[in-house]
Amino acid sequence: MFDSLSDRLNDTFDRLRGKGKLTEADITSAMRDIRMALLEADVNFKVVKEFVAKTKERCMTAEVMESLSPAQNVVKIVLDELTEMLGSTESKLVFSNRIPNVIMLVGLQGSGKTTAAVKLAYLLKKQGRSPLLVACDVYRPAAADQLATLGGEIGVPVFRGDGAHPVDIAKGAIQEAVDHLRDVVIVDTAGRLQIDEQMMQEAVYIKKAVKPDQVLMVVDAMTGQDIVNVVSTFAERTDFDGVIISKLDGDARGGGALSVRQVTGKPIKFVSMGEKPDSLEPFYPDRMAKRILGMGDVVGIIEKAQEAADAEQLEAAERMLREGFTMNDMLDQMKAVKKMGGMKGILGMLPGGQRALNQMGGNLDEGIFDKNEAIIMSMTKEERLRPSIINGQRRARIAKGAGVTPTEVNSLMKQWGEMNKMMGRMRTMANQAQAGGKKGKKGKKGKKMRMPNIPGLDAMGLGGMGGLGTGGPKSDMDLLRQMEAQMRNKK
């Protein structure tokens, strides 16, 4: 996702950081590099021209904050303008008081409307709503079957209206929702490989018939420059309310998606970055801008972790603090990481993580989780609960049972040892807090406690990534904190 753009922009910022003072020539050169990076990422030419002009003007005239270096000021301005280009603020779905609410999806064939409809239904179901999917694509072979199959997988019913006209199907779905107490109707309309009058007119007729509360256009992130013509035409004919960008994980450029908000004035409401039903995410312009600039999305990681956590896991965390860290706990952690999108997904949201991943050629062996799971499952119940009893003879037996080498078993045991020590330190800190100790974040001899590495990084050859965010990306994260502090002081 935006890999090439992110790399090019960070290379430009790296060159600026090497200069103590920036001249007009330095800024002009940097803006030229940024323009080329955006164009190569498939961002619309007019959008690039406007973006670079505004950014350059601000860089030349903006008041330089004393707490920031000249290069950091440029990064901050680029971040602000990129956030503005993407939409500035989050745009949520707006629901009316009527029952059912109707959401209509439009877009070209192949843009991902059907899967987007299912993902949206899954998201709304998780939020406590009762969605109904409607198959209004009567032209594409097996389109209704596909929707019915996918809807069945997530437990959401599908209204098909076999043999009826799409407008009649949409009308019938409203009555079906009323009869079966469904509070949201998601209408999946037909598309074409190219824009044509019949498709547009049918979308207009359906919109007039069901009066949707929201019309969302589904756009394929890999469409490229032609995305501008497509969204402009749909905006003119159907006056949609927002955009869902699909397949954002499928193109390293993705710049066409950056043009949508600027060209149509319509907000990006959701982005889809995967095949699974839970891969549809609300779009946050500020977070996306930070990820493009290599600053990560730490808030997103926290939200994913909170979503993955449940009552049993919270109870397990309390037990770990009391009794220590077992191999069963490590197995649960690996499953939680998978649930959060895997190690690649997490690294992509860490400051500097995506760039580090790119430098490795994107090679991150997610299969290490399956291998470690096999090792743990080859242990006896007692060994999983008390890993400290595992000696050389037991390790050889476990390795043979899991089909791995003793070295790989030793690597997992080393990870367990580090996590167990960390739990011990946390237990000590918790006991001190309960006893009224006020050492704060200081450990022995006044030294600051170090953040532990993410479990599993060492085993994947990424042990050195505990320093993610250092250098360029870290300084950019620091500049945001410094700026916020400075603004508070001015107030």
Side-chain angles (χ1 to χ4, degrees):
M1 179 185 63
F2 304 119
D3 293 348
S4 59
L5 175 59
S6 182
D7 287 344
R8 288 289 301 273
L9 291 177
N10 276 287
D11 287 343
T12 300
F13 298 147
D14 286 343
R15 287 192 290 272
L16 291 179
R17 292 187 189 102
K19 300 177 181 292
K21 183 179 180 181
L22 299 182
T23 64
E24 182 176 349
D26 293 330
I27 293 176
T28 299
S29 176
M31 292 304 111
R32 187 186 307 115
D33 291 340
I34 290 174
R35 180 173 64 249
M36 290 303 300
L38 291 169
L39 289 173
E40 289 179 5
D42 242 356
V43 182
N44 179 259
F45 174 74
K46 291 181 179 178
V47 175
V48 173
K49 185 177 180 181
E50 183 180 345
F51 175 84
V52 172
K54 289 174 65 177
T55 304
K56 183 176 181 180
E57 182 181 0
R58 282 193 59 189
C59 287
M60 298 295 291
T61 61
E63 177 185 350
V64 177
M65 294 185 180
E66 295 177 0
S67 61
L68 307 181
S69 70
Q72 288 173 337
N73 273 281
V74 172
V75 174
K76 178 64 178 69
I77 290 170
V78 172
L79 175 62
D80 289 343
E81 292 299 326
L82 189 56
T83 303
E84 179 68 26
M85 183 170 76
L86 291 171
S88 296
T89 57
E90 177 201 2
S91 179
K92 297 182 179 180
L93 279 180
V94 178
F95 292 98
S96 66
N97 293 325
R98 74 162 176 164
I99 300 296
N101 271 251
V102 181
I103 300 173
M104 176 178 167
L105 302 188
V106 298
L108 293 180
Q109 183 176 320
S111 62
K113 284 194 309 300
T114 300
T115 52
V118 174
K119 292 174 183 179
L120 183 58
Y122 181 82
L123 182 66
L124 294 177
K125 184 180 178 183
K126 280 186 11 180
Q127 295 174 356
R129 296 186 177 272
S130 301
L132 172 68
L133 288 162
V134 186
C136 283
D137 185 353
V138 298
Y139 310 105
R140 182 167 60 90
D145 293 336
Q146 179 191 7
L147 190 64
T149 300
L150 294 175
E153 290 176 358
I154 63 171
V156 173
V158 175
F159 183 80
R160 302 178 58 150
D162 293 331
H165 187 275
V167 175
D168 295 328
I169 294 174
K171 287 180 179 178
I174 304 299
Q175 187 58 50
E176 177 80 3
V178 171
D179 294 343
H180 293 84
L181 302 178
R182 294 281 162 179
D183 58 2
V184 181
V185 172
I186 303 173
V187 181
D188 177 27
T189 62
R192 300 285 190 280
L193 293 176
Q194 294 180 340
I195 293 174
D196 65 26
E197 182 59 28
Q198 181 185 355
M199 173 184 64
M200 283 297 177
Q201 197 58 50
E202 185 176 287
V204 171
Y205 287 151
I206 294 175
K207 183 177 179 181
K208 286 182 179 178
V210 300
K211 296 179 175 57
D213 301 273
Q214 295 270 296
V215 179
L216 302 180
M217 181 176 178
V218 182
V219 174
D220 185 342
M222 296 186 284
T223 304
Q225 283 288 323
D226 196 44
I227 198 172
V228 172
N229 299 325
V230 173
V231 295
S232 297
T233 304
F234 271 95
E236 182 181 329
R237 296 295 299 276
T238 63
D239 189 29
F240 60 84
D241 301 287
V243 177
I244 296 176
I245 298 180
S246 65
K247 309 174 190 176
L248 197 57
D249 58 325
D251 188 1
R253 297 182 302 171
L258 299 182
S259 309
V260 172
R261 171 65 171 78
Q262 205 73 351
V263 170
T264 65
K266 305 294 185 180
I268 301 170
K269 291 185 178 284
F270 298 98
V271 291
S272 176
M273 294 185 285
E275 296 295 327
K276 295 182 179 179
D278 61 357
S279 63
L280 189 70
E281 303 175 3
F283 181 74
Y284 300 93
D286 55 338
R287 297 189 195 177
M288 183 60 70
K290 288 177 182 177
R291 290 180 70 173
I292 291 173
L293 297 183
M295 298 178 183
D297 180 11
V298 178
V299 176
I301 293 179
I302 295 171
E303 288 179 350
K304 282 182 177 290
Q306 290 174 334
E307 188 176 322
D310 54 29
E312 289 184 9
Q313 288 173 317
L314 294 176
E315 185 178 331
E318 293 178 358
R319 178 190 52 74
M320 281 187 271
L321 285 175
R322 291 194 311 269
E323 303 171 8
F325 189 70
T326 70
M327 281 295 175
N328 289 329
D329 297 324
M330 179 166 276
L331 187 60
D332 289 340
Q333 274 200 356
M334 290 188 291
K335 290 179 180 178
V337 169
K338 282 185 178 180
K339 195 174 180 181
M340 289 170 63
M343 195 59 72
K344 277 189 179 180
I346 295 175
L347 284 179
M349 299 172 78
L350 287 171
Q354 187 60 54
R355 197 176 191 194
L357 192 57
N358 294 343
Q359 290 171 351
M360 296 185 294
N363 295 322
L364 190 57
D365 185 13
E366 298 278 1
I368 189 68
F369 291 114
D370 296 329
K371 187 178 293 185
N372 284 345
E373 182 176 352
I375 294 173
I376 293 173
M377 296 309 295
S378 295
M379 298 176 183
T380 65
K381 183 177 180 180
E382 184 181 12
E383 288 169 345
R384 290 199 294 271
L385 291 174
R386 297 173 55 214
S388 58
I389 68 172
I390 300 177
N391 54 24
Q393 186 176 2
R394 289 175 184 261
R395 293 185 191 201
R397 190 205 79 240
I398 292 168
K400 186 176 181 179
V404 300
T405 65
T407 302
E408 289 170 311
V409 176
N410 291 339
S411 177
L412 180 65
M413 292 300 300
K414 182 180 178 182
Q415 288 181 64
W416 168 80
E418 291 174 353
M419 291 300 296
N420 199 40
K421 287 178 183 177
M422 186 187 75
M423 284 296 168
R425 291 197 295 268
M426 292 175 67
R427 183 163 56 248
T428 300
M429 292 170 65
N431 292 336
Q432 289 175 344
Q434 289 177 354
K438 297 183 179 180
K439 291 186 178 182
K441 293 184 179 180
K442 299 284 186 178
K444 294 180 179 179
K445 300 181 181 179
K447 292 183 180 179
K448 291 182 179 180
M449 298 295 290
R450 290 183 59 194
M451 288 296 292
N453 286 333
I454 298 174
L457 284 181
D458 280 335
M460 287 179 278
L462 296 172
M465 293 185 74
L468 276 177
T470 57
K474 182 180 179 183
S475 62
D476 294 338
M477 291 297 288
D478 288 342
L479 77 87
L480 294 177
R481 299 189 188 98
Q482 293 167 4
M483 187 201 70
E484 290 167 358
Q486 191 174 50
M487 294 299 290
R488 286 196 298 270
N489 291 336
K490 284 185 178 181
K491 292 180 181 179

